[in-house]
Amino acid sequence: MKEGSKDLIQYRIRRAKETLEDAHLLARSDRWNACVNRLYYSCFYAVSSLLMLDNLSSSKHSGIRSLFNKYYVKTGKVPKNIAGIYNDLFERRQEGDYLDLIDFTELQVRPWITLAEKFVEFILDLIKEK
């Protein structure tokens, strides 16, 4: 692991937790598009922390996603049913942030909150094991 990586990993872990809390705040205010954005970033910060432990990184979100799928999902370290929410939120965040006339609803987003929480918890447990 590169020098300074431990601090950056801890920072990103903290950001994953805080961003998940932000998602809850937005959900309580019925801000569903912003909630999806925060859910995605919570997963993103957790994944980027995990990748750093193996000296893997990318400057692009799609690169982080690709590395995660290659080294953790395809190898079975992260089950597909758990990893699915990160991949789904990647797409939903793109839609919500960049496409017009996308309005996520509570009915859509509530299940994603629970799945994102489980995903982040799973990833943070993997980090603890390393």
Side-chain angles (χ1 to χ4, degrees):
M1 188 179 332
K2 297 175 185 172
E3 189 163 330
S5 292
K6 286 184 182 183
D7 291 338
L8 187 52
I9 290 167
Q10 288 306 310
Y11 170 78
R12 289 186 178 167
I13 289 170
R14 188 172 68 252
R15 292 284 298 173
K17 292 175 183 178
E18 289 172 356
T19 308
L20 196 53
E21 291 172 18
D22 292 345
H24 283 282
L25 292 171
L26 290 162
R28 285 196 286 278
S29 299
D30 296 328
R31 303 282 307 274
W32 302 114
N33 283 28
C35 181
V36 169
N37 175 286
R38 298 292 80 197
L39 290 172
Y40 165 74
Y41 271 97
S42 179
C43 295
F44 170 80
Y45 290 131
V47 166
S48 59
S49 299
L50 179 63
L51 292 174
M52 286 192 76
L53 287 174
D54 292 323
N55 293 314
L56 299 168
S57 67
S58 175
S59 61
K60 297 185 178 213
H61 286 257
S62 58
I64 295 290
R65 182 179 171 209
S66 178
L67 289 168
F68 174 69
N69 286 321
K70 179 178 181 179
Y71 291 99
Y72 289 92
V73 181
K74 288 182 181 173
T75 61
K77 294 175 185 173
V78 176
K80 287 181 183 179
N81 65 320
I82 291 174
I85 188 62
Y86 173 59
N87 290 309
D88 288 347
L89 286 172
F90 176 88
E91 299 296 334
R92 300 301 75 79
R93 198 256 328 173
Q94 295 282 93
E95 292 171 5
D97 286 358
Y98 300 113
L99 297 180
D100 292 329
L101 304 175
I102 299 293
D103 290 311
F104 294 112
T105 66
E106 179 177 6
L107 197 59
Q108 290 173 294
V109 178
R110 285 273 175 216
W112 298 340
I113 294 171
T114 302
L115 292 170
E117 288 172 330
K118 289 178 182 176
F119 177 83
V120 169
E121 181 180 339
F122 186 91
I123 298 300
L124 296 184
D125 285 346
L126 270 181
I127 291 170
K128 286 178 192 173
E129 290 173 13
K130 288 185 166 244

